[in-house]
């Protein structure tokens, strides 16, 4: 399973660093929603869902956390520890987030508004959904 990382350009000078995120430029979709997780407790694992249509870019402007992505066939694990690295998460990808450092902020840019109908929160249902999508493509 391919990991898609966007390397954000950081505009650094003697004052520090600055990163700009622009829809349809360094973010590969129109951004309709931004949300972030912070103050995540030790040992907590979050996520455990996939989206039917939503595209997302995840990054940690501060601290670090681990993201596990699962296509239904393969899994990959990515440690987000650099504010210059954005992880693209496509639709039909089961995700889990864990090992947050105490100061970690996990930012998510999303291609659409919050819609519970776009969520698949049951893993077996996710596997069936992925299979059905593949059958449609054949
Ligand atoms: P939840 O889906 O449990 O987070 P995750 O699975 O990513 O760990 O979301 C936590 C709560 O926040 C839940 O009540 C739904 C709400 N929520 C919104 O209201 N808007 C949003 O954009 C998101 C992502 C969650």
């Amino acid at each position: 399973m391919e990991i898609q990382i966007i390397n954000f350009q950081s505009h650094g000078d003697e004052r520090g660093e600055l990163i700009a995120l622009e829809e349809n430029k360094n973010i590969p979709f129109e951004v309709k929603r931004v949300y972030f997780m912070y103050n995540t407790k030790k040992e907590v694992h979050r996520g455990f869902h996939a989206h039917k249509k939503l595209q997302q870019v995840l990054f940690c402007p501060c601290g670090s956390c681990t993201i596990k992505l699962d296509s239904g066939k393969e899994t990959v694990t990515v440690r987000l520890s650099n504010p210059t690295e954005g992880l693209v998460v496509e639709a039909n990808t089961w995700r889990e987030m864990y090992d947050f450092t105490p100061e970690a902020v996990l930012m998510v840019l999303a291609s659409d508004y919050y819609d519970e109908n776009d969520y698949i929160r049951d893993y077996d249902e996710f596997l069936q959904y992925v299979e059905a999508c593949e059958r449609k493509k054949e």
Side-chain angles (χ1 to χ4, degrees):
M1 189 181 168
E2 206 184 307
I3 300 172
Q4 292 184 64
I5 297 283
I6 304 172
N7 290 301
F8 304 136
Q9 188 190 353
S10 193
H11 304 274
D13 58 26
E14 63 287 350
R15 298 168 297 175
E17 301 292 326
L18 184 153
I19 290 173
L21 306 174
E22 297 181 293
E23 62 181 12
N24 295 326
K25 290 194 174 176
N26 58 349
I27 302 301
F29 48 78
E30 202 175 306
V31 178
K32 293 251 179 74
R33 178 167 51 114
V34 177
Y35 62 93
F36 53 96
M37 281 158 244
Y38 65 102
N39 201 15
T40 308
K41 306 293 180 259
K42 225 178 147 203
E43 314 297 341
V44 160
H45 288 225
R46 321 191 46 137
F48 300 99
H49 64 256
H51 287 281
K52 295 175 190 165
K53 295 224 171 79
L54 195 73
Q55 293 173 282
Q56 293 171 307
V57 172
L58 277 56
F59 62 102
C60 280
C62 178
S64 53
C65 72
T66 298
I67 315 288
K68 184 174 157 194
L69 300 179
D70 179 347
S71 66
K73 292 210 169 88
E74 293 170 83
T75 62
V76 288
T77 300
V78 182
R79 184 79 185 159
L80 288 180
S81 57
N82 192 327
T84 63
E85 287 181 354
L87 174 67
V88 180
V89 182
E90 301 287 0
N92 285 350
T93 310
W94 189 264
R95 83 286 311 275
E96 194 180 320
M97 295 88 90
Y98 52 93
D99 281 351
F100 288 77
T101 55
E103 77 285 19
V105 177
L106 176 61
M107 297 277 308
V108 182
L109 309 183
S111 64
D112 215 337
Y113 302 113
Y114 178 74
D115 176 9
E116 192 56 41
N117 293 321
D118 188 63
Y119 278 74
I120 305 172
R121 292 191 183 271
D122 178 86
Y123 189 70
D124 289 334
E125 196 185 314
F126 162 67
L127 294 178
Q128 284 167 19
Y129 188 82
V130 169
E131 247 180 55
C133 288
E134 274 175 17
R135 261 187 268 123
K136 253 191 214 167
K137 276 190 217 153
E138 282 166 11

